[in-house]
């Protein structure tokens, strides 16, 4: 690997660690923070729902920003937006603001995160291509996943410890501080290599052109479209299971106040993310086609969720949880590489934002359904229903496989799909 490619990866890993560390600082205390501000349980979870609404509303517009003004500009806007809205969250907590204030700021928090989604990943792929990198994208994404898992582990624990030692507002101040640091780091180190932003003299027309082309290379390409449809189910289920596993483990343990047991879910999944990310390149080499890995991971994941639903042993649940985390983490970089290799550089950030949008929409739609199933049948029953939702993603990955995209058998960054002649929407 040449020096420039190595430098690009180092910058990407630094940005990823910083983003995850900042985000995870409040994951363990966010609900307690909202309740402490005077919100009811309904209002607290409704505020979280408004965050998802913000993600859905702004995914595509911020992807267009990244494809017109540049990935670096999008990342910098994301750090500024998140830092300001995090401080606003802290201020709302101090004054015990009414619910409408939390709703508005939660939507803006969603806006901040959408500036990152798609843009950072698109920046990495373009920059690696520009530096002549010929290695495996799975290796890079896998290492990034492992590092973000470690950052998630450290941030979640540190946020809880800091809140315990001070108050629930301090982790939010620390998060804002980390985001300011990341703005400076990105401003100094991040450059748009291998990508030329659209002309700024006519930004509205450039935005329209990028948006139309993104529809063509995203929803208009069958192999990409089906992967995006699958993410509606996989992301929706993933969001729910991550949060449902905590009370599920507490129930199996038999002590409703065993909060340390509830924290095991996040700790195990972050550890599995580290190991699974490192295993991703090895897993990729076991199968000729990337979709084979993705399909197998979905099948195993469905089986694990089904087993968790019928399981009544706490210790066996931990084993199943490790397996679920490992399978998901090992297949994640393979799917990332598969999707990136099917998207031209000029539309990459926007198409990836489309994918993230569908995933966020799945979270907004599927989570309430699964939450209601937990009210009726308990958490074990909701995990069985989760397995049913997850299996709905399998046909879409199979349909993507049937398109025989060159990206399905690509093994390195040099085999990425070029900026080819536009195709008729709906035809691969």
């Amino acid at each position: 690997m040449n020096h420039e490619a190595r430098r690009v990866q180092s910058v990407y890993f630094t940005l990823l660690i910083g983003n995850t560390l900042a985000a995870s600082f409040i994951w363990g205390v966010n609900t307690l923070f909202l309740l402490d501000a005077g919100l009811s349980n309904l209002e607290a979870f409704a505020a979280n729902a408004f965050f998802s609404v913000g993600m859905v509303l702004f995914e595509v517009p911020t992807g267009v920003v990244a494809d017109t003004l540049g990935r670096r500009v999008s990342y910098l806007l994301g750090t500024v937006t998140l830092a300001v809205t995090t401080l606003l969250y802290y201020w709302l907590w101090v004054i015990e603001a009414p619910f409408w204030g939390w709703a508005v700021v939660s939507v803006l928090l969603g806006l901040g995160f959408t500036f990152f989604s798609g843009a950072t990943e698109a920046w990495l792929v373009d920059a690696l291509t520009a530096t002549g990198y010929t290695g495996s994208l799975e290796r890079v994404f896998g290492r990034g996943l492992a590092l973000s898992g470690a950052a998630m582990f450290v941030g979640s624990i540190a946020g809880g410890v800091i809140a315990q030692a001070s108050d629930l507002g301090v982790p939010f101040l620390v998060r804002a501080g980390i985001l300011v640091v990341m703005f400076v780091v990105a401003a100094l180190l991040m450059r748009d290599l291998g990508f030329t932003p659209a002309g700024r003299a006519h930004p509205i027309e450039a935005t329209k052109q990028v948006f139309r082309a993104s529809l063509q290379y995203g929803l208009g390409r069958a192999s990409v479209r089906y992967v995006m449809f699958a993410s509606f189910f996989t992301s929706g289920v993933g969001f729910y299971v991550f949060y449902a596993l905590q009370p599920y483990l507490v129930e199996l343990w038999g002590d409703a106040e065993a909060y340390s047991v509830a924290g095991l879910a996040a700790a195990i999944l972050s550890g599995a993310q580290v190991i699974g990310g490192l295993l991703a390149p090895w897993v990729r080499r076991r199968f000729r086609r990337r979709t084979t890995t993705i399909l197998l991971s979905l099948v195993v994941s469905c089986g694990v969720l089904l087993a968790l639903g019928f399981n009544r042993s706490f210790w066996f649940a931990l084993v199943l949880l490790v397996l679920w985390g490992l399978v998901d983490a090992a297949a994640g970089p393979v799917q990332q590489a598969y999707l990136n290799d099917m998207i031209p550089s000029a539309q990459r950030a926007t198409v990836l934002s489309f994918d993230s949008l569908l995933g966020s929409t799945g979270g907004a739609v599927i989570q309430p359904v699964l939450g209601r199933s937990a009210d009726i049948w308990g958490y074990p029953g909701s995990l069985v229903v989760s397995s049913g939702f997850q299996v709905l993603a399998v046909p879409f990955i199979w349909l993507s496989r049937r398109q025989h995209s060159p990206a399905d058998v690509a093994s390195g960054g040099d085999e990425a799909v070029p900026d080819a002649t536009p195709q008729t929407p709906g035809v691969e």
Side-chain angles (χ1 to χ4, degrees), residues 15 19 51 54-83 85 107-123 190 349-350 352-353 356:
L15 299 178
N19 288 354
F51 169 79
M55 293 281 287
V56 172
L57 288 176
F58 296 114
E59 277 290 1
V60 173
T62 53
V64 172
V65 168
D67 280 337
T68 54
L69 300 182
R71 288 74 154 106
R72 178 175 179 268
V73 169
S74 184
Y75 184 92
L76 293 175
L77 287 172
T79 56
V80 170
T81 305
L82 278 179
T85 49
V107 171
L108 295 176
L109 275 170
L111 167 64
F113 274 100
T114 58
F115 276 116
F116 292 139
S117 64
T120 312
E121 191 173 310
W123 175 84
M190 201 175 180
T350 311
L352 291 176
S353 289
S356 183

Side-chain angles (χ1 to χ4, degrees), residues 80-369:
V80 170
T81 305
L82 278 179
V84 171
T85 49
T86 298
L87 290 175
L88 285 174
Y89 237 49
Y90 175 80
W91 179 67
L92 292 175
W93 174 73
V94 170
I95 66 173
E96 296 188 357
F99 172 73
W100 67 264
W102 294 96
V104 171
V105 177
S106 293
V107 171
L108 295 176
L109 275 170
L111 167 64
F113 274 100
T114 58
F115 276 116
F116 292 139
S117 64
T120 312
E121 191 173 310
W123 175 84
L124 169 71
V125 177
D126 289 339
L128 286 178
T129 302
T131 58
Y133 177 74
T134 58
S136 166
L137 283 177
E138 282 88 350
R139 181 177 297 277
V140 181
F141 286 135
R143 288 176 179 174
L145 188 65
L147 290 170
S148 63
M152 171 184 167
F153 183 82
V154 172
S156 298
I157 293 177
V161 170
I162 290 173
Q164 185 73 35
S166 52
D167 60 52
L168 288 166
V170 174
F172 287 79
L173 297 177
V174 174
R175 179 194 193 185
I178 294 175
L179 288 167
V180 171
V181 172
M182 293 312 299
F183 176 88
V184 175
V185 170
L188 294 174
L189 301 180
M190 201 175 180
R191 295 290 181 272
D192 282 330
L193 301 176
F195 168 78
T196 302
R200 302 185 187 188
H202 307 284
I204 296 178
E205 183 57 33
T207 299
K208 289 180 179 178
Q209 291 175 2
V210 169
F211 185 74
R212 286 194 295 265
S214 298
L215 283 175
Q216 188 166 17
Y217 285 103
L219 295 178
R221 276 193 165 183
S223 56
V224 178
R225 178 173 66 245
Y226 291 131
V227 174
M228 293 164 67
F229 287 167
S231 71
F232 176 90
F233 298 101
T234 56
S235 296
V237 170
F239 286 144
Y240 174 78
V241 172
F242 179 81
Y243 291 107
L245 284 172
Q246 298 166 22
Y248 167 79
L249 290 178
V250 170
E251 281 187 3
L252 290 180
W253 184 255
D255 182 359
E257 297 184 359
Y259 301 124
S260 58
V261 171
L264 273 176
I268 289 173
L269 290 177
S270 61
Q273 186 170 309
V274 173
I275 298 171
L278 295 175
L279 285 176
W282 179 85
V283 172
R284 172 68 185 98
R285 291 193 296 270
R286 303 280 75 79
F287 306 100
R288 177 175 174 270
R289 302 180 69 173
R290 282 167 167 162
T291 50
T292 302
T293 302
I294 300 169
L295 285 168
L296 286 175
S297 73
L298 284 174
V299 171
V300 174
S301 178
C302 291
V304 169
L305 291 176
L306 195 63
L308 282 168
F310 289 102
N311 170 63
R312 295 297 179 267
S313 167
F314 172 80
W315 300 108
F316 187 55
L318 294 185
V319 175
L320 291 172
L321 181 54
V322 170
L323 178 60
W324 186 73
L326 284 174
V327 168
D328 184 68
V334 177
Q335 181 162 325
Q336 281 181 284
Y338 176 51
L339 190 59
N340 270 278
D341 272 356
M342 293 188 291
I343 307 170
S345 171
Q347 293 81 33
R348 182 168 285 124
T350 311
V351 175
L352 291 176
S353 289
F354 264 116
D355 180 58
S356 183
L357 181 149
L358 285 175
S360 297
T361 303
V365 173
I366 293 176
Q367 283 192 95
V369 176

